[in-house]
Amino acid sequence: VKPGGFDGQLQLSDPKAKKGATPPTLQVRIIVDGSMTAVVSKPPSGAPAPQEAAPPATTQAPTEASAAKSVVKVSVLSASALRNADTMTMMRGAKSDPYCICLLRKAGAEKEVEQFRTAVIDDCLDPVWNHPEQALAECVVDDTLVFKVFDKDTMRSDDLGTAELVVKPGGFDGQLQLSDPKAKKGATPPTLQVRIIVDGSMTAVVSKPPSGAPAPQEAAPPATTQAPTEASAAKSVVKVSVLSASALRNADTMTMMRGAKSDPYCICLLRKAGAEKEVEQFRTAVIDDCLDPVWNHPEQALAECVVDDTLVFKVFDKDTMRSDDLGTAEL
């Protein structure tokens, strides 16, 4: 880690890469005290140096016509108290592997059209997706957003609950109560945390849960934050984002599932300057059947990381028995 930070691609060293295959890469962003420029990376022994970060793409100012149209942006953040749909599995301690699908139902219509879905979080009943904000081009005020949460399984996905929300000018930031058709009597009601921004505004909005489900809780006011003290402001702040990877190896070629591909996730570890031990800082979600995953994992502040420490990124293929190594890079 250097004072200027880093924003670009790191080449992954894959111990099982085929000769002549496209080298796999990992896209990361490191911000040190608010700055972010290209920095020399330190790949594992034998791996080529990472490519130089490309300059950010320029964006055009919106035209008068585009600015006049409402812009609806949706974020699916987390869920809590989901039902464990994996109780019948032979894997001891297994839990649901939840993901969420956002669908759009136009006002007056019956058909629901999928807009996006989150990554799968393995073995978790309180998943935190922090799925990046999605602009829905076809969504306008008075349309209905439908959120469906499922447990990812090999044969089929189990329904873990549904919630609906009518888009209003003020937007919404809070919890929706999920209607789970198989919920146990007396169990804590499952909830879904979402954020809807309409033309830049975001306040509470009346939700429309499925028939029989209670109304969602009112969104709590945002927590206030204290200004940093002089002591805390003096310390370097290192923030890390793992964005995507490309050209990963397919480690699932021996599976019986036709067309199966690697299910990649990335672990970020910290090795302090002069030390040998690596300590895990965070890991991304698992992206199923994908050799070019886009995680867009939210920015993580690493409290113990300072300039001249080393960040180690390890990409694995998630499997039931063990995770296969898909490559490592250091910075």
Side-chain angles (χ1 to χ4, degrees):
V1 176
K2 296 298 179 186
F6 177 82
D7 186 15
Q9 287 184 331
L10 301 174
Q11 192 155 316
L12 291 164
S13 175
D14 181 355
K16 297 182 181 178
K18 292 183 179 180
K19 189 175 181 179
T22 302
T25 60
L26 182 71
Q27 185 87 15
V28 300
R29 181 178 298 138
I30 317 296
I31 300 175
V32 181
D33 290 334
S35 63
M36 177 181 61
T37 57
V39 66
V40 178
S41 65
K42 186 172 59 175
S45 178
Q51 302 173 31
E52 187 175 345
T58 58
T59 56
Q60 294 181 336
T63 63
E64 187 174 343
S66 64
K69 183 184 176 184
S70 292
V71 177
V72 178
K73 298 179 181 179
V74 181
S75 303
V76 175
L77 306 178
S78 61
S80 62
L82 297 179
R83 174 172 49 86
N84 187 4
D86 286 354
T87 54
M88 300 302 290
T89 183
M90 293 183 291
M91 296 292 293
R92 185 176 179 181
K95 298 177 182 178
S96 295
D97 310 308
Y99 64 98
C100 180
I101 302 176
C102 173
L103 306 101
L104 173 65
R105 186 170 66 241
K106 299 293 291 179
E110 294 184 2
K111 184 179 179 181
E112 298 169 355
V113 179
E114 180 175 335
Q115 303 299 296
F116 65 88
R117 61 179 62 194
T118 70
V120 177
I121 306 292
D122 285 345
D123 294 323
C124 186
L125 304 183
D126 300 285
V128 177
W129 295 290
N130 281 331
H131 191 83
E133 195 175 80
Q134 302 281 314
L136 307 188
E138 302 301 318
C139 184
V140 297
V141 169
D142 291 331
D143 287 345
T144 299
L145 293 170
V146 183
F147 299 94
K148 296 186 177 183
V149 181
F150 294 94
D151 166 41
K152 174 74 174 179
D153 281 324
T154 304
M155 302 303 293
R156 67 181 180 86
S157 292
D158 294 307
D159 184 1
L160 295 180
T162 300
E164 298 188 2
L165 186 73
V166 178
V167 177
K168 295 297 180 185
F172 177 82
D173 187 16
Q175 287 184 331
L176 300 173
Q177 193 155 315
L178 291 163
S179 175
D180 181 355
K182 298 181 181 178
K184 292 183 178 180
K185 189 175 181 180
T188 302
T191 59
L192 182 71
Q193 185 87 15
V194 300
R195 180 179 299 137
I196 317 295
I197 301 176
V198 181
D199 290 334
S201 63
M202 179 181 60
T203 57
V205 66
V206 178
S207 67
K208 187 174 66 176
S211 176
Q217 301 173 35
E218 186 175 346
T224 57
T225 57
Q226 294 181 335
T229 63
E230 187 174 343
S232 64
K235 183 182 177 184
S236 293
V237 177
V238 177
K239 298 179 180 178
V240 181
S241 303
V242 175
L243 306 177
S244 61
S246 62
L248 296 180
R249 176 172 49 87
N250 186 4
D252 286 354
T253 54
M254 301 300 290
T255 183
M256 293 183 290
M257 297 292 290
R258 185 176 179 181
K261 298 178 182 178
S262 296
D263 309 309
Y265 64 99
C266 180
I267 302 177
C268 174
L269 306 101
L270 173 65
R271 186 169 67 242
K272 300 292 292 179
E276 295 184 3
K277 185 179 179 183
E278 298 169 356
V279 179
E280 180 175 337
Q281 303 299 296
F282 65 88
R283 61 180 63 194
T284 69
V286 177
I287 306 291
D288 285 343
D289 293 324
C290 187
L291 303 183
D292 301 284
V294 177
W295 295 290
N296 280 332
H297 192 83
E299 195 175 80
Q300 302 282 313
L302 307 189
E304 301 302 317
C305 184
V306 297
V307 169
D308 291 331
D309 287 345
T310 299
L311 292 172
V312 182
F313 300 94
K314 296 186 177 183
V315 180
F316 293 94
D317 166 41
K318 175 73 174 180
D319 281 323
T320 304
M321 302 303 293
R322 66 182 180 86
S323 291
D324 293 307
D325 183 2
L326 295 179
T328 300
E330 298 187 4
L331 187 71

